[in-house]
Amino acid sequence: MNQINVSFRIARENDNIYIIFGLNSDENEKEDINRFFDSFRFIDKVAENWSVFHSEKGAYEVEFPGYPKENVITDASDGENGSIVGVISGIDISTGHEFAVQYIDNKLNYYPDDTLVLSLIKSNMYTLENSNLISEKTMFNGFPALRFSFDMNNGQTLQVLSVVRGTRIYNLISGKATKDKDETQSGFFFNSFKLKDYDWLQWKPVNNEEGHFSALAPDSFTRTEDEYFNDVYVSSENYNSFDPFTGDKVMISRKVYSPFYQSNCDSAFFRKYCLDASDASDSIISQTKLSETPLSWQFVTMSNSNHLLTRSKLILKGRSMYKLITRTPRIYQDIGPVQRCLDSFSISDTTTPGKLTENKTIALLEGLTSSDSLVKKQAYKALSFYSFSKDEIPLVWQKLHGNFTDDTLSYRSTRALLISSVSNDLDSSYFARIVTDFEPICPTHSSKLEALAVLAGTYDSAYQPFVKQQLVSIPPNTIYKYKVLNLLRDSAEYAQGFFPEILELLQDTLNRDDVIHLTATLLDKGMLTAAGLESYKLKITLLLKELSSNPGQMYEGDQYTPQLFYIASFYNDPQINSLLIKNRNSTNRYIEFNVLKASVRNNLEFRKKDMQRIAADPGVRRDLHDFLLESGKIELMPAEFNNQVSIAESDLYQYLEYDDVQPETITLKAEKDLVYEGALQRFYLFSVTDEWEEGTDVSLYIAGPYPTDNSIPPYDESVTGTYWSDEPELPAEKHFKAFEKMIADPGPGLRD
């Protein structure tokens, strides 16, 4: 059982005694407890001209100077769904301190991700011209809140308390001269703020405009189209109704399944549908089957990332799936209106007849060549999710011997998708049949490539000669062959059998970079030799000269094509070596890097400053270190970059570059040893600056894990970059605490 430390202080003021308690289980949190104790103040009314202001619409009260009048407006920038904004503001004439309270009601947003909302509030107020930002996420009356302060360039300091309450945001703002250190009035102002109970609206039965459903709701439903849905559905729309007084929101979604979708509609089907629309970290508390006709289920889910409980009712009527969602803060005990809403939800929609449990194979295959353009389009989309059984493969084969109107497409033709859709259900007899019937069922380049990918995916050497012959025979620069090439990269042993003939693809500019990378990988593994590639030496030399004279033909981020310079070094030919040396000052960082590798490999003379310059580049530093280590020449690595911190910086840089981030600077902020996967390991916190047209972003990332003995391990991509923060002003210890919590309970955040 974990030890709990109890701390308390006793304070006396006149006849009043105050006892303040603090609980913590970690000795490192003692500092937070002391800060809590030190913040306690007994504050009497600060001035005679202050009084309690009550906001009926805003449901709050606060001590405020003077006699403010609340101004309630609608923000027209949101169109017809404009936010309602209520504001009071005033100045204490005795001190010149300024105060304001603002509440914002948004009809469409419930703000389930309070961390994001609070971060946006802070970023909207705090700009690059301001300084000394201090912020702390906290809770206020059980609701997520953020307290922050900063100095403005006009000599004023602002203190802000933001509270997220359902569909409402409260912002309390106190402003005073920066040189004025008196916190009495601001402390009194913030401490006096109280939230009042909302009044329930009288929920009533509400129908949508089409009359498809009815439900008890606080107000009429607002309909919005969902533009982003997968091919399983043919349409998707959402309906929202909210109670601005309670923050309760009723959401109804209607998704219409494709006429070619089929399912057994069991509990797992409804459970998956429920979670698909939820946060990845949500967990199901309960599930109950309500009826058979129509099929309906009720779920209660709890969010592990915010303060909400979600109650959902799913009803399947024909091909339409309706989902009613209610979300309420966990602290609310009265869920009467919410449960009555769920109980009242009924469907009268008859526009999408059909049964998901019926087999759709024959209808789907006929639909692919239907004269009805809508049916044909829906059947085509269904190939992305439809699964044929082994017994149905002959029907598919018969269809492939026919014609399709889109056979001229080089990408995602009906024929190619149909071949791909059955690939998981083929057995050896059908693999052989692909070879036998290859020409009639694969009359196009795209269909040939799809069938070759099916055969290559078996990694069966019996089909290897056929796949190699057909792959090379597809004319160059006609189609991307990545599907087959990616399969070869996944199995070096299988790929070995494609050499040297696959080097014919070096003239294929669409696929050249993948072939070069595959060749370099197999050479490094010792699975290919220069002697085995001798027949392609001239082709490689000519291509090398072409790239040397015009490196601009490679796109900026191409790391594969420059590996040709490294491949050429395996011939160790004087003429080729001379050409390599001429490119050691290339403006292309990857050519420069591969030329250096070639020089080290062949013991060619290279300049120390070249090694220094390349090692200084975090984008290739890790790769240079690993190459020198594997080559037994790690002593050539410049000492200032041959250390754990420099390699950690390079690991993070490569992660960011892969994520399409081009950092301007990466600066070490702190390091900490933490227990990860049962062992004490080291992690580094880096500050990353990123330049945009709008300005400069500063973010924090953690790289690791690394051994605590300062040695440099092989690259481990499991954690580096998974912790990210846009709050660089927070102490490093807070970031490490958040990271430690994340790796203790990784959830969906860490890469598998």
XYZ file of all heavy atoms in Angstrom, residues 221-287:
550
model
N -33.047 20.800 -32.845
C -31.792 20.227 -33.312
C -31.206 21.064 -34.447
O -31.915 21.508 -35.352
C -32.002 18.791 -33.806
C -32.182 17.803 -32.689
C -33.446 17.363 -32.329
C -31.079 17.324 -31.995
C -33.615 16.451 -31.305
C -31.240 16.415 -30.959
C -32.509 15.973 -30.613
N -29.900 21.265 -34.384
C -29.167 21.924 -35.462
C -28.473 20.847 -36.278
O -27.710 20.039 -35.745
C -28.109 22.894 -34.897
O -28.757 23.866 -34.082
C -27.365 23.589 -36.023
N -28.732 20.821 -37.590
C -28.199 19.769 -38.455
C -26.902 20.219 -39.116
O -26.799 21.332 -39.617
C -29.223 19.416 -39.536
C -28.807 18.280 -40.480
C -29.952 17.997 -41.448
N -29.702 16.860 -42.310
C -29.106 16.933 -43.491
N -28.717 18.114 -43.942
N -28.924 15.849 -44.229
N -25.897 19.341 -39.107
C -24.636 19.616 -39.798
C -24.243 18.390 -40.612
O -24.399 17.257 -40.159
C -23.498 19.944 -38.811
O -23.351 18.863 -37.882
C -23.775 21.226 -38.062
N -23.741 18.633 -41.827
C -23.280 17.533 -42.673
C -21.890 17.094 -42.221
O -21.042 17.915 -41.875
C -23.213 17.980 -44.141
C -24.566 18.210 -44.776
C -25.308 16.917 -45.070
O -24.669 15.844 -45.042
O -26.523 16.971 -45.310
N -21.674 15.803 -42.217
C -20.355 15.247 -41.932
C -19.686 14.947 -43.268
O -20.094 14.042 -43.987
C -20.508 13.971 -41.097
C -19.163 13.380 -40.703
O -18.141 13.995 -41.028
O -19.149 12.311 -40.074
N -18.664 15.733 -43.607
C -18.030 15.572 -44.909
C -16.983 14.467 -44.922
O -16.515 14.056 -45.980
C -17.378 16.894 -45.335
C -18.376 18.037 -45.493
C -17.700 19.332 -45.886
O -16.465 19.316 -46.072
O -18.394 20.345 -46.017
N -16.573 14.018 -43.756
C -15.488 13.044 -43.685
C -16.009 11.723 -43.116
O -16.214 11.586 -41.921
C -14.352 13.585 -42.812
C -13.843 14.919 -43.284
C -14.250 16.093 -42.665
C -12.973 14.996 -44.368
C -13.793 17.325 -43.115
C -12.513 16.223 -44.821
C -12.924 17.376 -44.182
O -12.473 18.590 -44.639
N -16.257 10.774 -43.996
C -16.663 9.438 -43.560
C -16.128 8.439 -44.576
O -15.897 8.770 -45.743
C -18.185 9.327 -43.409
C -18.970 9.727 -44.621
C -19.310 8.783 -45.592
C -19.383 11.035 -44.804
C -20.045 9.144 -46.711
C -20.114 11.404 -45.920
C -20.452 10.461 -46.878
N -15.904 7.209 -44.121
C -15.276 6.232 -45.007
C -16.304 5.570 -45.913
O -17.512 5.829 -45.833
C -14.472 5.203 -44.203
C -15.352 4.435 -43.224
O -16.483 4.077 -43.545
N -14.836 4.160 -42.034
N -15.805 4.679 -46.770
C -16.648 4.083 -47.811
C -17.684 3.108 -47.285
O -18.533 2.640 -48.043
C -15.769 3.384 -48.852
C -14.919 4.367 -49.647
O -15.307 5.547 -49.696
O -13.885 3.954 -50.195
N -17.612 2.760 -46.000
C -18.632 1.894 -45.421
C -19.996 2.582 -45.460
O -21.032 1.921 -45.539
C -18.256 1.537 -43.963
C -19.417 0.875 -43.240
C -17.038 0.619 -43.959
N -19.993 3.911 -45.439
C -21.241 4.677 -45.410
C -21.422 5.454 -46.711
O -20.462 5.808 -47.389
C -21.233 5.663 -44.240
C -20.819 5.052 -42.930
C -19.549 5.276 -42.407
C -21.684 4.230 -42.218
C -19.155 4.706 -41.209
C -21.296 3.647 -41.021
C -20.020 3.884 -40.524
O -19.634 3.318 -39.343
N -22.685 5.729 -47.043
C -22.972 6.552 -48.218
C -23.361 7.973 -47.817
O -23.364 8.870 -48.653
C -24.090 5.923 -49.083
C -23.624 4.593 -49.658
C -25.376 5.736 -48.289
N -23.688 8.172 -46.555
C -23.986 9.525 -46.080
C -23.838 9.563 -44.563
O -23.902 8.525 -43.893
C -25.402 9.968 -46.483
O -26.382 9.196 -45.822
N -23.640 10.778 -44.056
C -23.470 10.946 -42.613
C -23.855 12.373 -42.252
O -23.443 13.323 -42.914
C -22.014 10.670 -42.219
O -21.809 10.929 -40.846
N -24.689 12.511 -41.218
C -25.037 13.847 -40.726
C -25.193 13.806 -39.214
O -25.384 12.734 -38.620
C -26.312 14.394 -41.378
C -27.552 13.571 -41.124
C -27.935 12.703 -42.307
O -27.209 12.704 -43.316
O -28.955 11.993 -42.203
N -25.059 14.967 -38.593
C -25.142 15.094 -37.141
C -26.205 16.116 -36.764
O -26.431 17.094 -37.492
C -23.785 15.522 -36.564
C -22.695 14.520 -36.870
O -22.847 13.335 -36.604
N -21.600 14.983 -37.446
N -26.832 15.896 -35.621
C -27.846 16.802 -35.090
C -27.477 17.131 -33.646
O -27.167 16.232 -32.859
C -29.236 16.158 -35.141
C -29.684 15.750 -36.529
C -29.285 14.530 -37.070
C -30.490 16.581 -37.294
C -29.687 14.150 -38.337
C -30.903 16.205 -38.570
C -30.495 14.987 -39.078
O -30.891 14.620 -40.340
N -27.501 18.423 -33.287
C -27.098 18.855 -31.944
C -28.192 19.685 -31.284
O -28.837 20.518 -31.929
C -25.830 19.707 -32.014
C -24.657 18.952 -32.605
O -24.352 17.856 -32.162
N -24.016 19.505 -33.609
N -28.372 19.434 -29.992
C -29.258 20.254 -29.175
C -28.583 20.424 -27.827
O -28.051 19.462 -27.274
C -30.623 19.573 -28.999
O -31.443 20.326 -28.121
N -28.536 21.678 -27.293
C -27.831 21.837 -26.028
C -28.597 22.745 -25.085
O -29.412 23.573 -25.489
C -26.410 22.348 -26.269
C -26.280 23.834 -26.318
C -25.625 24.502 -25.293
C -26.787 24.574 -27.362
C -25.497 25.879 -25.322
C -26.660 25.946 -27.402
C -26.010 26.613 -26.378
N -28.322 22.540 -23.812
C -28.924 23.324 -22.747
C -27.858 24.287 -22.226
O -26.916 23.877 -21.555
C -29.387 22.391 -21.616
C -30.170 23.134 -20.528
O -29.984 24.364 -20.419
O -30.940 22.490 -19.806
N -27.950 25.568 -22.565
C -26.899 26.506 -22.162
C -26.817 26.703 -20.659
O -25.826 27.209 -20.152
C -27.304 27.808 -22.870
C -28.777 27.700 -23.057
C -29.045 26.249 -23.294
N -27.845 26.297 -19.943
C -27.835 26.488 -18.492
C -27.070 25.371 -17.778
O -26.380 25.599 -16.793
C -29.264 26.570 -17.956
C -30.013 27.757 -18.491
C -30.971 27.610 -19.471
C -29.736 29.031 -18.034
C -31.648 28.710 -19.979
C -30.405 30.130 -18.537
C -31.374 29.972 -19.512
N -27.201 24.147 -18.268
C -26.539 23.025 -17.605
C -25.255 22.609 -18.295
O -24.424 21.932 -17.713
C -27.467 21.797 -17.586
O -27.704 21.396 -18.942
C -28.777 22.112 -16.913
N -25.109 23.005 -19.550
C -23.970 22.504 -20.304
C -24.220 21.127 -20.878
O -23.368 20.562 -21.544
N -25.410 20.552 -20.648
C -25.738 19.249 -21.222
C -25.938 19.392 -22.721
O -26.515 20.375 -23.196
C -27.021 18.684 -20.605
C -26.779 18.139 -19.214
O -25.654 17.679 -18.970
O -27.688 18.197 -18.378
N -25.464 18.393 -23.441
C -25.592 18.422 -24.896
C -26.120 17.087 -25.384
O -25.684 16.026 -24.929
C -24.243 18.714 -25.545
C -24.297 18.881 -27.056
C -22.959 19.356 -27.578
C -23.033 19.630 -29.078
N -21.753 20.121 -29.609
N -27.087 17.141 -26.303
C -27.625 15.944 -26.936
C -27.153 15.948 -28.385
O -27.377 16.921 -29.112
C -29.165 15.914 -26.883
C -29.689 14.680 -27.607
C -29.652 15.930 -25.447
N -26.476 14.881 -28.783
C -25.990 14.766 -30.158
C -26.540 13.495 -30.773
O -26.494 12.427 -30.139
C -24.465 14.738 -30.177
C -23.822 16.032 -29.717
S -22.035 15.864 -29.448
C -22.035 14.982 -27.876
N -27.046 13.612 -31.981
C -27.554 12.447 -32.705
C -26.838 12.380 -34.045
O -26.781 13.369 -34.776
C -29.078 12.538 -32.922
C -29.804 12.489 -31.566
C -29.560 11.407 -33.833
C -31.303 12.663 -31.661
N -26.259 11.227 -34.313
C -25.626 11.025 -35.619
C -26.424 9.990 -36.401
O -26.984 9.055 -35.823
C -24.180 10.567 -35.463
O -24.127 9.254 -34.934
N -26.483 10.188 -37.704
C -27.155 9.231 -38.587
C -26.191 8.880 -39.711
O -25.799 9.737 -40.496
C -28.432 9.819 -39.170
C -29.133 8.912 -40.203
C -30.363 9.595 -40.767
N -31.102 8.757 -41.696
C -31.107 8.911 -43.019
N -30.383 9.881 -43.570
N -31.824 8.118 -43.791
N -25.807 7.625 -39.757
C -24.936 7.146 -40.823
C -25.666 6.059 -41.589
O -26.209 5.130 -40.987
C -23.617 6.606 -40.253
C -22.742 7.669 -39.585
C -21.419 7.078 -39.146
C -20.578 8.088 -38.384
N -20.179 9.245 -39.186
N -25.664 6.195 -42.908
C -26.341 5.221 -43.762
C -25.294 4.304 -44.374
O -24.374 4.753 -45.073
C -27.143 5.917 -44.872
C -27.827 4.877 -45.761
C -28.178 6.867 -44.264
N -25.417 3.007 -44.100
C -24.461 2.037 -44.608
C -24.619 1.846 -46.114
O -25.713 1.992 -46.676
C -24.645 0.687 -43.911
C -24.050 0.631 -42.524
C -24.831 0.832 -41.399
C -22.696 0.367 -42.344
C -24.290 0.776 -40.121
C -22.144 0.312 -41.073
C -22.943 0.519 -39.968
O -22.402 0.466 -38.707
N -23.512 1.497 -46.734
C -23.527 1.137 -48.149
C -24.492 -0.020 -48.371
O -24.609 -0.913 -47.520
C -22.117 0.729 -48.589
O -22.151 -0.010 -49.795
N -25.193 -0.047 -49.512
C -26.090 -1.190 -49.788
C -25.319 -2.500 -49.936
O -25.929 -3.570 -49.968
C -26.781 -0.793 -51.100
C -25.923 0.264 -51.699
C -25.263 0.976 -50.575
N -23.975 -2.422 -50.009
C -23.165 -3.632 -50.155
C -22.416 -3.986 -48.873
O -21.557 -4.865 -48.873
C -22.173 -3.463 -51.305
C -22.833 -3.141 -52.613
C -22.714 -1.888 -53.178
C -23.616 -4.087 -53.256
C -23.333 -1.578 -54.372
C -24.248 -3.793 -54.446
C -24.113 -2.529 -55.011
N -22.777 -3.336 -47.784
C -22.129 -3.651 -46.509
C -22.891 -4.774 -45.821
O -24.121 -4.797 -45.825
C -22.105 -2.424 -45.600
C -21.404 -2.665 -44.274
C -20.021 -2.639 -44.201
C -22.134 -2.949 -43.123
C -19.368 -2.872 -42.997
C -21.486 -3.183 -41.919
C -20.102 -3.143 -41.865
O -19.466 -3.381 -40.682
N -22.146 -5.702 -45.224
C -22.811 -6.771 -44.493
C -22.111 -7.017 -43.162
O -20.901 -6.820 -43.018
C -22.861 -8.067 -45.308
C -21.536 -8.746 -45.549
C -21.704 -10.017 -46.379
O -22.193 -9.985 -47.507
N -21.307 -11.146 -45.807
N -22.905 -7.413 -42.169
C -22.387 -7.674 -40.831
C -23.348 -8.610 -40.124
O -24.541 -8.661 -40.440
C -22.255 -6.367 -40.041
O -22.004 -6.619 -38.673
N -22.824 -9.330 -39.119
C -23.723 -10.183 -38.339
C -24.449 -9.400 -37.253
O -25.315 -9.922 -36.564
C -22.960 -11.356 -37.710
C -21.798 -10.883 -36.858
O -21.654 -9.690 -36.579
N -20.955 -11.823 -36.452
N -24.091 -8.107 -37.073
C -24.812 -7.198 -36.165
C -24.887 -7.744 -34.734
O -25.920 -7.612 -34.062
C -26.222 -6.909 -36.685
S -26.233 -6.063 -38.273
N -23.803 -8.347 -34.260
C -23.788 -8.850 -32.896
C -23.324 -7.761 -31.935
O -23.134 -6.602 -32.313
C -22.900 -10.091 -32.798
C -21.461 -9.798 -33.245
O -21.148 -8.620 -33.532
O -20.663 -10.747 -33.312
N -23.114 -8.141 -30.678
C -22.729 -7.153 -29.666
C -21.391 -6.506 -29.995
O -21.186 -5.316 -29.749
C -22.658 -7.818 -28.286
O -21.693 -8.860 -28.273
N -20.449 -7.294 -30.571
C -19.139 -6.738 -30.930
C -19.277 -5.661 -31.993
O -18.548 -4.657 -31.986
C -18.219 -7.853 -31.422
N -20.224 -5.832 -32.921
C -20.467 -4.845 -33.970
C -20.922 -3.522 -33.355
O -20.405 -2.447 -33.692
C -21.524 -5.401 -34.926
C -22.116 -4.389 -35.863
C -21.405 -3.932 -36.957
C -23.402 -3.889 -35.645
C -21.961 -2.997 -37.826
C -23.958 -2.962 -36.502
C -23.238 -2.515 -37.599
N -21.881 -3.574 -32.430
C -22.370 -2.340 -31.795
C -21.309 -1.729 -30.886
O -21.164 -0.508 -30.814
C -23.652 -2.621 -31.004
C -24.879 -2.697 -31.859
C -25.293 -3.900 -32.402
C -25.611 -1.556 -32.135
C -26.427 -3.973 -33.199
C -26.750 -1.610 -32.933
C -27.156 -2.827 -33.469
N -20.569 -2.571 -30.201
C -19.518 -2.082 -29.303
C -18.452 -1.322 -30.101
O -18.001 -0.249 -29.703
C -18.896 -3.265 -28.555
C -17.860 -2.877 -27.511
C -17.240 -4.129 -26.902
N -16.245 -3.819 -25.898
C -16.489 -3.696 -24.612
N -17.720 -3.881 -24.164
N -15.525 -3.406 -23.759
N -18.043 -1.900 -31.218
C -17.034 -1.250 -32.062
C -17.559 0.079 -32.595
O -16.836 1.085 -32.629
C -16.642 -2.165 -33.218
C -15.558 -1.593 -34.131
C -15.184 -2.586 -35.222
C -14.035 -2.071 -36.068
N -14.330 -0.783 -36.734
N -18.831 0.090 -33.013
C -19.406 1.335 -33.522
C -19.411 2.392 -32.427
O -19.114 3.564 -32.669
C -20.833 1.094 -34.019
C -21.428 2.293 -34.719
C -21.340 2.408 -36.100
C -22.040 3.315 -34.008
C -21.869 3.524 -36.758
C -22.563 4.424 -34.642
C -22.479 4.524 -36.016
O -22.991 5.625 -36.655
N -19.729 1.993 -31.216
C -19.765 2.944 -30.103
C -18.396 3.560 -29.863
O -18.256 4.767 -29.709
C -20.252 2.247 -28.836
S -20.244 3.297 -27.365
N -17.345 2.736 -29.866
C -16.008 3.227 -29.554
C -15.355 3.941 -30.728
O -14.494 4.795 -30.532
C -15.118 2.072 -29.096
C -15.455 1.496 -27.719
C -14.540 0.326 -27.394
C -15.346 2.566 -26.637
N -15.744 3.586 -31.955
C -15.153 4.228 -33.127
C -15.369 5.730 -33.118
O -14.548 6.488 -33.618
C -15.727 3.641 -34.424
C -14.989 2.372 -34.827
O -13.974 2.064 -34.186
O -15.430 1.703 -35.772
N -16.486 6.169 -32.572
C -16.802 7.588 -32.553
C -16.325 8.256 -31.266
O -16.606 9.420 -31.024
C -18.305 7.801 -32.713
N -15.618 7.510 -30.422
C -15.178 8.035 -29.132
C -13.693 8.318 -29.150
O -12.976 7.953 -30.077
C -15.484 7.026 -28.011
O -16.846 6.675 -28.014
N -13.251 8.979 -28.106
C -11.825 9.163 -27.896
C -11.179 7.794 -27.722
O -11.761 6.886 -27.143
C -11.602 10.011 -26.641
C -10.138 10.368 -26.449
O -9.377 9.469 -26.054
O -9.771 11.527 -26.682
N -9.950 7.649 -28.242
C -9.275 6.349 -28.195
C -9.065 5.843 -26.774
O -8.907 4.644 -26.548
C -7.936 6.436 -28.919
N -9.042 6.765 -25.813
C -8.786 6.354 -24.429
C -10.075 6.094 -23.646
O -10.019 5.775 -22.464
C -7.964 7.431 -23.710
O -8.700 8.644 -23.615
N -11.252 6.234 -24.285
C -12.511 5.986 -23.581
C -12.640 4.505 -23.229
O -12.140 3.631 -23.941
C -13.700 6.395 -24.454
C -13.879 7.907 -24.496
O -13.037 8.604 -23.920
O -14.853 8.364 -25.108
N -13.318 4.232 -22.148
C -13.568 2.850 -21.753
C -15.055 2.663 -21.488
O -15.730 3.570 -20.992
C -12.762 2.495 -20.495
O -13.029 3.415 -19.450
N -15.571 1.476 -21.833
C -16.993 1.177 -21.657
C -17.242 0.714 -20.234
O -16.610 -0.228 -19.751
C -17.458 0.119 -22.665
C -17.449 0.700 -24.077
C -18.846 -0.393 -22.316
C -17.892 -0.270 -25.148
N -18.169 1.388 -19.560
C -18.550 1.016 -18.194
C -19.656 -0.028 -18.227
O -19.652 -0.990 -17.457
C -19.008 2.258 -17.399
C -17.847 3.242 -17.267
C -19.532 1.866 -16.033
C -18.242 4.543 -16.594
N -20.617 0.155 -19.129
C -21.721 -0.816 -19.216
C -22.282 -0.826 -20.626
O -22.167 0.152 -21.365
C -22.831 -0.459 -18.218
O -23.439 0.772 -18.579
N -22.896 -1.960 -21.005
C -23.583 -2.084 -22.291
C -24.809 -2.963 -22.093
O -24.755 -3.971 -21.393
C -22.656 -2.663 -23.355
C -22.142 -4.064 -23.073
C -21.186 -4.539 -24.151
O -20.185 -3.919 -24.412
N -21.530 -5.659 -24.790
